[in-house]
Amino acid sequence: MASMTATDSFLPSPTVSAFHVGPLTIHFYALCILAGIAVAVWLTSRRWTARGGEAGQVLDICLWAVPAGIIGGRIYHVITDPELYFLPGKNPWNAFAIWDGGLGIWGAVALGVVGAWIGCRRTKVSLVAFLDAVAPGVIFAQALGRWGNWFNNELYGDPTNLPWKLQIHQMDPAAGSAVTDASGAAVVLGYFQPTFLYESLWCVVVGLLLLYVDRRFTLGAGSVFSLYVAGYTAGRFAFELMRSDYANLILGLRVNTWVAALIFLAGAVAFVLLFRRGRSVAVPGGSAPHSSEQLTADG
């Protein structure tokens, strides 16, 4: 790739991925995840009341769904990239170092749904209604979470000379900062497609679309969540094709490319089958508020 000149434009990446507060190390990746969870809980609470539920029930359910989702996301990552942790010379305990990055959204959603199912059973409310209510919040959380990858200088595409190319540093995860050369300057690995940014923006677009169609139309129970699945994976398929960071391959394509394609098909089929049904409500056998109340609750 051509060398950089003073007039070249690029998107900078941080040279610090963590900071210290006394004996504690605070990772920006974790803060982005927490910010996303907070937004998801807030938005879901508003949408949940529009389906006849109580706002406090969302937090009760999320106390089960969020930890399960984090565990599921980490398990998926470790299973699909075991050589990062279990080959000779690797530290298997790093499989638990979630703050260094590595959460597979597929595992996070799958086990998160299991956690939500437990929470809904304990709260005696509808899981399907909760999934429809939480879908926009989840994808906005994903949009925020992708900025954790920016702090970690990861999730980028091929080298490029585009004006919005992303500067990537060689990072030392243990130190929480970039590796420096003899002069003390951060070592730059190159300039790449900012696929983390593309995915973050795509998540925002899909989230806004979900809010619009759920307000504009009477979508059947489960169809909002199905549309989230199909919408997110459509973009994820394209972004996986753009990425150049390390990943295991199947028939020349990244594992997540195949997974995105299969889950997109499942989400699209589910939406077609469900969208004409009755709207989901929080309490089985109950009824949702009228559309005017829904508009107020959804903002």
Side-chain angles (χ1 to χ4, degrees), residues 144-160:
L144 285 169
R146 278 306 179 209
W147 287 89
N149 301 120
W150 179 62
F151 280 102
N152 284 351
N153 282 245
E154 59 191 5
L155 210 159
Y156 48 85
D158 291 328
T160 182

Side-chain angles (χ1 to χ4, degrees), residues 39-283:
V39 168
V41 171
W42 170 78
L43 179 58
T44 303
S45 296
R46 291 169 60 89
R47 290 174 50 77
W48 183 242
T49 55
R51 282 177 158 75
E54 300 174 12
Q57 292 172 332
V58 170
L59 184 57
D60 293 338
I61 298 169
C62 286
L63 289 176
W64 291 90
V66 171
I70 293 174
I71 293 170
R74 190 61 176 180
I75 289 174
Y76 178 90
H77 167 72
V78 173
I79 288 176
T80 54
D81 293 303
E83 65 281 352
L84 298 178
Y85 308 101
F86 303 115
L87 286 181
K90 300 294 184 179
N91 182 1
W93 290 106
N94 285 341
F96 298 97
I98 191 174
W99 48 86
D100 289 337
L103 284 177
I105 186 61
W106 323 116
V109 171
L111 212 56
V113 169
V114 174
W117 173 75
I118 295 173
C120 288
R121 281 184 62 88
R122 292 173 62 90
T123 315
K124 296 182 173 57
V125 296
S126 167
L127 171 63
V128 173
F130 180 78
L131 294 179
D132 283 339
V134 80
V138 168
I139 201 162
F140 286 135
Q142 290 173 236
L144 285 169
R146 278 306 179 209
W147 287 89
N149 301 120
W150 179 62
F151 280 102
N152 284 351
N153 282 245
E154 59 191 5
L155 210 159
Y156 48 85
D158 291 328
T160 182
N161 279 316
L162 290 171
W164 57 87
K165 54 186 169 289
L166 179 67
Q167 182 186 63
I168 293 293
H169 302 98
Q170 181 180 349
M171 299 297 288
D172 179 357
S177 59
V179 175
T180 56
D181 58 22
S183 66
V187 175
V188 176
L189 296 179
Y191 298 83
F192 305 88
Q193 289 275 10
T195 51
F196 93 90
L197 179 60
Y198 298 156
E199 185 170 334
S200 180
L201 294 174
W202 177 255
C203 287
V204 172
V205 170
V206 173
L208 293 174
L209 174 65
L210 292 176
L211 291 176
Y212 172 75
V213 297
D214 195 30
R215 177 182 299 180
R216 179 68 177 80
F217 306 101
T218 302
L219 298 179
S223 58
V224 179
F225 187 77
S226 299
L227 187 59
Y228 149 70
V229 171
Y232 170 69
T233 51
R236 181 64 183 266
F237 178 85
F239 305 138
E240 285 294 329
L241 293 175
M242 298 175 65
R243 286 175 61 175
S244 62
D245 50 332
Y246 169 81
N248 287 316
L249 305 178
I250 298 177
L251 299 178
L253 293 178
R254 300 165 68 95
V255 171
N256 282 333
T257 306
W258 290 102
V259 175
L262 293 173
I263 296 180
F264 166 77
L265 291 175
V269 170
F271 178 77
V272 170
L273 294 175
L274 297 174
F275 83 100
R276 292 186 182 278
R277 297 187 177 185
R279 182 178 175 83
S280 58
V281 293
V283 180

